[in-house]
Amino acid sequence: MKLAVVGSGYVGLVAGACLAELGHEVQLVDNDSDKMAMLLRGEIPIHEQYLPELMSRNRQQGRLRFADSIANAVKTSSVIFIAVGTPALVNGAPDLSYVEAVASAVGQHVGEFKVIVEKSTVPVLTHQEIGKVMMLNGAPAESFEVVSNPEFLREGTAVTDFLFPDRIVVGADGSRGAAMLRQVYEPLTSGAYYSQSDAIPRPATFSGKARLLVTSAKSAELIKHASNSFLAMKISFINAIANICEAVGADVQEVCEGMGADSRIGERFLRPGIGYGGSCFPKDLLAFRLVAEECGLEFGLLNEVIKLNEYQRNRFVRKVRSALWNLKGKKIAALGLAFKGGTDDIRESPAIAIIQAFCNEGAEVVVYDPEAMERARCVLQDKVQYANSPYAACAGAHAMVVLTDWQDFAELDLGLIRRALRHPIVIDGRNLFRREQMLAAGLHYYSIGRPTAAPAKSSHSDSQAAVEEMLTEMRSVESVPNLSA
Ligand code: UGA
């Protein structure tokens, strides 16, 4: 099929590359000319597993192209995916002006029958607004259908999530739109894609064929907001339970295991930490709260989820303060900048907010992240120092603080960390370590919802030589390119 994807952000780029991978002819279009030039040079603006190879092989095979205008992309395509950004406005409502701009451009060039697909996350009833704008721009009502096809991909595993989905939701009020979307996803629903020898590796848990669910357009729009809000609620819930565990000396990991074993609850998204972040949950919760308000309904639960999430960050700063007493003048090694492991995205990252809180209290912060250093430099600038390894970050620090759940951090050599730190203190906002291993390494270990671990003897004098050595390494702190320059 001939498809156009308007918007080349996380969703658009991944959807475009994956749709080409399914055998369709895809045109990508974006009004950011710098981004288009970058893509034409074969550079990928985001860090996402399998995306570079998918982009490159589908471009080589001529299935993935970059259109020079929306008009050209629309004229030659039968299905147009809208995947532009919907950033939050000051009142929490999503800014739908980019969606409107695309709808009016599409309306002007629609020609023969086309399906317009809402891929961006939008409030319920947006499909009706898109339809109205298209008609105001000259598209006859019978020349198009607007379908909602929300995206459930997670950053870091976006390609796998797209190609091996739990479900594909198609919200279509007419039969033609539903039929065309069924055709788009046929290689996944029939399982044909999965038998290809060059298919992206299948996750162990994937059953074999993708399930496609057809609903009304309104229901599909609601499914997206409701799903993200529910997942965020699970996180805030377990964070609140973790805090109760801390108060009574219980272990939240044990509680999670016991709760998660109930198949009605499930163990996923029950990892306590420093709260959720990213470009989706915080924005979608605010938007969904407004949807409820506009319906004249009180959905106080969403307020609580948001409040608990903010509280969790502040509580973590307090935890660091209680471990180090005054933060002023203390050197803190902050491991992690991205909003979660596996991505370089720092949007709404709790790690950044917490580091800023440390800086505001006069701490000297040395940061390290395997992927997000360049992006973080644009925000944190020279308020912090940038280390070239977790060990260099810890050299001479009063404590190591873990803020992002990178697997690399879970595999650190704790003996080296212990020798690098000035004081053997680790405060883990992601529960990456077991208490026993920290005790064995001679570290004081504070985590979320679990009892603190303190080694019987914590003399640190034997490591002074190692500290000196690490401080020398520290002086060679790497400087990462300054994107803001
Ligand atoms: C989220 C959803 O998981 C996707 O299904 C959805 O498509 C996407 O938003 C979107 O709306 O586009 P993503 O933002 O990539 O995906 O990140 P998640 O993996 O959901 O994590 C969100 C945040 O919650 C992260 O800060 C993560 O560290 C935190 N989290 C997650 C926890 O604190 N505990 C958990 O148990 C799980």
Side-chain angles (χ1 to χ4, degrees), residues 152-153 155 224 228 269 271 276-277 280 339-340 430:
F152 301 105
L153 56 83
E155 288 184 22
K224 172 68 190 196
N228 274 4
F269 274 71
R271 275 180 291 112
Y276 60 79
C280 304
F339 80 98
K340 64 173 187 178
R430 299 291 193 159

Side-chain angles (χ1 to χ4, degrees), residues 154-170:
R154 290 159 301 168
E155 288 184 22
T157 53
V159 168
T160 308
D161 288 344
F162 191 100
L163 294 171
F164 301 88
D166 286 342
R167 78 300 204 188
I168 297 164
V169 173
V170 172

Side-chain angles (χ1 to χ4, degrees), residues 333 335 368 387-395 400 408-409 412 417 420 470:
L335 302 196
Y368 173 77
N388 60 5
S389 77
Y391 305 104
C394 287
M400 172 178 113
D408 300 16
F409 297 161
L412 286 174
I417 293 291
M470 290 308 248

